Amino acid sequence: MDRREEIYAKALELFIKDGYDQTPLSRIANELGMTKANLYHYFKSKEELLFYVHERNQRRDLIATLNTAEKIEDAKDRLVHLIRNYTENSMARDASAKVVIHEIGHLKAEHREIIKNNWKRFFDMVRDSLVELEATGRIKKMNKVFVAFALIGMCSWTLYWFDHSRQETVRELSDTYIDIFFNGVSKR
Amino acid sequence: MDRREEIYAKALELFIKDGYDQTPLSRIANELGMTKANLYHYFKSKEELLFYVHERNQRRDLIATLNTAEKIEDAKDRLVHLIRNYTENSMARDASAKVVIHEIGHLKAEHREIIKNNWKRFFDMVRDSLVELEATGRIKKMNKVFVAFALIGMCSWTLYWFDHSRQETVRELSDTYIDIFFNGVSKR
């Protein structure tokens, strides 16, 4: 792991443990055996560090999921892929989603915009897939914005209750969400 | 509104706007035209104020919903009531759910315990209702913990995206959740 990655990983670890506000840069420096001045070689401010942590996290999980999903031809297969990978990788793998979602208010507007655009890309892909399925009569007619958020919400809430040490159950979890969702929207 | 209620309401309003950490007691006092010393007549610490704000919020929304639900004989009717009232009152009515959920980490252990017990009562009621429906063959066999959290998550996520000024759409929203959920878990 290069120095930069090491810094982001340590910062994320401490943000998860104590929260962004309660984690001074001096503690991050201490734990890495660096000086604070040295840390500033890698970012301009604590806010910029939080942004890099967010961005790295999204690239690893959400964006990877979206890039693969985009290439899936069939709209239902695409949604199955999104539910499964978003749940297993973005939400159930570790506690980072909590930091990434809760601390977004600390980012300045231009950084928040970049992070929010990735979330928007996720939402749009879910909604567009639902529109496609409805147009071809494979699901019933419903409010697609509400249905898209129902799907995203069901999966996202995982971050609040799932025990990350129980990775052997994540497949059953994403299967349950896929099952409820597609029965839920299918024509009877 | 008595003075105490006025203080809780103002504190909640400022916590929603700026966050708990970024809201000094002196600002709450200022906005109410009180001295800080005067405020301490109503609570012992900022943490205790946050707890009262939480408690008042839960009493108004979640606990009211649970108390009514408890009296509903039929398990499906009970779940419909829970989805509808939790979504419309706890999540879609205003931005307070965000404070109540995000700032819980600032409560000391004994206060957090009281708040968490109310959430647990909600979870237990959902899960027990599912157990009842499964036992009488009205839903298919699934992991009831995962299904209960799918229901709660779908409804709870509302706090992150719903536009609270659009109250005329909350009934369509809770109907959508009820529809997806019961189709989702029913036997085909």
Side-chain angles (χ1 to χ4, degrees), chain A residues 21-22 101-102 106 140 142-143 146-147 149-150 152-154 156-157 159-161 169 172-173 176-177 179-180 183-188, chain B residues 21-22 101-102 106 140 142-143 146-147 149-150 152-154 156-157 159-161 169 172-173 176-177 179-180 183-188:
Chain A
D21 271 330
Q22 282 77 41
I101 286 169
H102 282 202
H106 287 105
K140 56 185 168 180
M142 297 172 91
N143 181 320
F146 290 176
V147 176
F149 276 123
I152 292 171
M154 180 173 67
S156 300
W157 203 249
L159 76 93
Y160 283 115
W161 62 270
T169 66
E172 184 191 356
L173 178 65
T176 303
Y177 291 163
D179 190 8
I180 291 179
N183 279 324
V185 296
S186 77
K187 294 181 168 177
R188 310 296 294 172
Chain B
D21 271 331
Q22 281 76 39
I101 287 170
H102 282 201
H106 288 105
K140 56 186 169 179
M142 299 172 90
N143 181 322
F146 290 177
V147 176
F149 275 123
I152 292 170
M154 180 174 68
S156 300
W157 202 249
L159 76 93
Y160 283 114
W161 62 269
T169 65
E172 185 191 356
L173 178 64
T176 303
Y177 291 162
D179 190 9
I180 291 178
N183 279 323
V185 296
S186 78
K187 294 179 166 178
R188 310 297 295 175

Side-chain angles (χ1 to χ4, degrees), chain B residues 17-172:
Chain B
K17 198 158 83 47
D18 300 320
Y20 172 78
D21 271 331
Q22 281 76 39
T23 305
L25 283 182
S26 55
R27 194 185 312 147
I28 300 173
N30 272 345
E31 297 232 356
L32 292 163
M34 293 170 76
T35 64
K36 212 170 132 182
N38 215 319
L39 261 191
Y40 277 114
H41 181 66
Y42 296 93
F43 47 82
K44 287 201 292 277
S45 64
K46 192 179 168 193
E47 185 277 335
E48 196 178 89
L49 172 62
L50 180 64
F51 171 65
Y52 287 146
V53 166
H54 261 80
E55 214 199 10
R56 169 175 172 273
N57 207 267
Q58 283 201 329
R59 220 171 24 235
R60 188 194 67 177
D61 300 331
L62 182 62
I63 296 178
T65 296
L66 298 180
N67 288 346
T68 324
E70 212 162 43
K71 297 188 198 100
I72 299 174
E73 199 69 32
D74 182 74
K76 183 178 173 180
D77 293 344
R78 195 184 311 129
L79 282 173
V80 167
H81 177 88
L82 287 170
I83 295 176
R84 185 173 310 290
N85 287 276
Y86 178 67
T87 300
E88 296 184 6
N89 302 331
S90 292
M91 294 295 140
R93 183 150 63 191
D94 58 39
S96 61
K98 211 157 174 173
V99 172
V100 169
I101 287 170
H102 282 201
E103 310 289 14
I104 196 170
H106 288 105
L107 294 177
K108 61 180 179 187
E110 65 192 83
H111 284 156
R112 199 156 51 214
E113 210 47 34
I114 296 172
I115 299 300
K116 284 199 166 171
N117 278 339
N118 292 326
W119 285 106
K120 194 176 177 314
R121 190 179 153 210
F122 178 31
F123 173 80
D124 288 346
M125 207 183 285
V126 171
R127 193 207 40 211
D128 292 350
S129 303
L130 292 170
V131 169
E132 224 179 302
L133 289 176
E134 189 187 286
T136 50
R138 294 166 72 193
I139 61 171
K140 56 186 169 179
K141 287 196 191 307
M142 299 172 90
N143 181 322
K144 261 88 57 196
V145 171
F146 290 177
V147 176
F149 275 123
L151 179 158
I152 292 170
M154 180 174 68
C155 301
S156 300
W157 202 249
T158 307
L159 76 93
Y160 283 114
W161 62 269
F162 189 74
D163 176 354
H164 302 295
S165 71
R166 302 203 52 209
Q167 289 299 311
E168 73 282 5
T169 65
V170 295
R171 185 49 50 99
E172 185 191 356

Side-chain angles (χ1 to χ4, degrees), chain A residues 96-108:
Chain A
S96 62
K98 213 158 172 171
V99 172
V100 170
I101 286 169
H102 282 202
E103 311 288 15
I104 196 169
H106 287 105
L107 294 177
K108 61 181 178 186

Side-chain angles (χ1 to χ4, degrees), chain A residues 60-100:
Chain A
R60 189 195 67 178
D61 300 331
L62 182 62
I63 296 178
T65 296
L66 298 179
N67 287 346
T68 323
E70 213 162 43
K71 297 188 197 99
I72 300 175
E73 198 70 33
D74 181 73
K76 183 177 172 179
D77 293 344
R78 194 184 312 127
L79 283 173
V80 167
H81 177 88
L82 287 170
I83 296 176
R84 185 174 309 292
N85 287 276
Y86 178 67
T87 300
E88 295 184 5
N89 301 332
S90 292
M91 293 295 140
R93 183 150 60 190
D94 57 38
S96 62
K98 213 158 172 171
V99 172
V100 170

